[in-house]
Amino acid sequence: MKVKLAAQLYTLREFLKTPEDIASTLKKVKEIGYNAVQVSGVGPIDSRELKELTSGLGLNICATHVGYAELTEKMEEVIEKHQIWGCQYVGLGGLPNEYRTSAEGYLKFASIANEIGRKLKAAGLTFIYHNHDFEFAKFGGRTGMDILFEETDPQAVDFELDVHWVQAGGADPVEWIKKVNGRMKVVHLKDYIVTPERERRFAEVGEGNMNFAAILQACREIGVEWGPVEQDQCYGRDPFESLAISFNNLRRMGVEA
């Protein structure tokens, strides 16, 4: 299967404060060449207005990141919003702090994630979990990520691996992509560099040290549909330029726009 590119809007969060900002930013994203976006870090805007803006530009809303409180307290609103957007993949961008420090915390969250995922599945949607590096801390021989993978229901919970954070956690992105075969249709594409001063930094995809040829091949092998490009920090570079560099590099690697 071919992986299609999207822009993770969290990269542009400083340019998404008002409906006018959102309209202008989406236009620039389309001009770069992206045909899809992941909704995250977007300021207040009516769901239907956002759908009109994206549809008018020919942008697909391929996935989202939704707050934990929304998923546990406002499920009906979450479902309605995603149905308006025609968006299949409902993402949680990170594990709440209270579950991060013990195996028991991860086990408790796995149970909650199963409930969230089953409710979304009943509405025709798919719950996806996005990792950072902290999930690779070990608890009694298993990492937090191992617990989430092993203790969540494969029919209810999918994953949205962030390959940068997998590597930052000391794990192998390619190994994990293959591990979640059948449970991942959305992957976060993000690179990684180390400065001469030994600072780990986010990087435009193709400008860092990660093995994206192997990463992309593994994604194709397991049938990943979407590859949102995200860069948490751009270190003084215009974030639109960073997204364009990643886009152009990934296109040269054979990824579809």
Side-chain angles (χ1 to χ4, degrees), residues 87-157:
C87 177
Q88 175 75 39
Y89 299 106
V90 185
L92 178 64
L95 189 69
N97 289 334
E98 62 263 34
Y99 303 117
R100 297 182 184 184
T101 58
S102 67
E104 291 74 21
Y106 278 92
L107 287 166
K108 183 175 182 180
F109 175 76
S111 177
I112 294 168
N114 285 334
E115 293 178 22
I116 292 170
R118 288 167 187 148
K119 289 177 182 176
L120 290 171
K121 185 177 182 181
L125 304 174
T126 303
F127 180 49
I128 57 176
Y129 178 81
H130 171 275
N131 66 281
H132 291 84
D133 53 357
F134 58 78
E135 290 92 344
F136 294 92
K138 285 191 173 181
F139 304 96
R142 283 202 296 178
T143 66
M145 197 68 177
D146 289 329
I147 295 172
L148 293 180
F149 177 74
E150 294 164 8
E151 304 297 337
T152 51
D153 180 355
Q155 301 302 313
V157 179

Side-chain angles (χ1 to χ4, degrees), residues 162-203:
D162 183 309
V163 295
H164 169 108
W165 286 122
V166 174
Q167 184 150 324
D172 181 346
V174 171
E175 180 182 319
W176 265 94
I177 290 165
K178 292 178 179 180
K179 188 171 185 174
V180 298
N181 187 6
R183 298 181 67 181
M184 185 168 76
K185 296 298 183 182
V186 185
V187 67
H188 264 195
L189 303 178
K190 181 189 302 180
D191 216 330
Y192 183 122
I193 59 170
V194 175
T195 70
E197 296 74 32
R198 299 175 65 189
E199 178 189 3
R200 176 181 58 78
R201 285 191 168 194
F202 305 103

Side-chain angles (χ1 to χ4, degrees), residues 209-250:
N209 298 330
M210 295 183 66
N211 185 355
F212 267 93
I215 287 168
L216 292 170
Q217 181 57 33
C219 287
R220 294 183 187 106
E221 288 173 3
I222 72 161
V224 170
E225 295 176 2
W226 295 104
V229 175
E230 181 179 45
Q231 191 165 335
D232 302 47
Q233 298 178 52
C234 299
Y235 309 99
R237 175 174 270 159
D238 180 352
F240 293 97
E241 182 185 0
S242 290
L243 280 180
I245 291 169
S246 292
F247 178 86
N248 292 326
N249 286 343
L250 284 160

Side-chain angles (χ1 to χ4, degrees), residues 4-104:
K4 293 174 286 188
L5 289 176
Q8 211 314 30
L9 292 180
Y10 181 78
T11 308
L12 304 170
R13 58 197 177 277
E14 297 304 320
F15 304 90
L16 295 163
K17 303 293 189 183
T18 68
E20 292 75 22
D21 292 339
I22 294 165
S24 173
T25 292
L26 290 173
K27 186 172 182 291
K28 291 179 182 178
V29 167
K30 180 66 176 181
E31 288 170 350
I32 290 170
Y34 289 98
N35 293 315
V37 294
Q38 179 173 15
V39 172
S40 176
V42 176
I45 186 170
D46 179 78
S47 297
R48 286 178 174 79
E49 183 178 357
L50 182 58
K51 175 61 175 175
E52 288 175 7
L53 287 173
T54 52
S55 293
L57 290 165
L59 289 169
N60 191 330
I61 299 178
C62 68
T64 64
H65 276 177
V66 178
Y68 179 68
E70 288 182 81
L71 289 168
T72 54
E73 300 169 16
K74 299 179 180 179
M75 178 59 77
E76 289 183 7
E77 293 179 21
V78 169
I79 291 170
E80 180 185 18
K81 183 163 53 179
H82 285 75
Q83 289 175 340
I84 289 169
W85 292 341
C87 177
Q88 175 75 39
Y89 299 106
V90 185
L92 178 64
L95 189 69
N97 289 334
E98 62 263 34
Y99 303 117
R100 297 182 184 184
T101 58
S102 67
E104 291 74 21

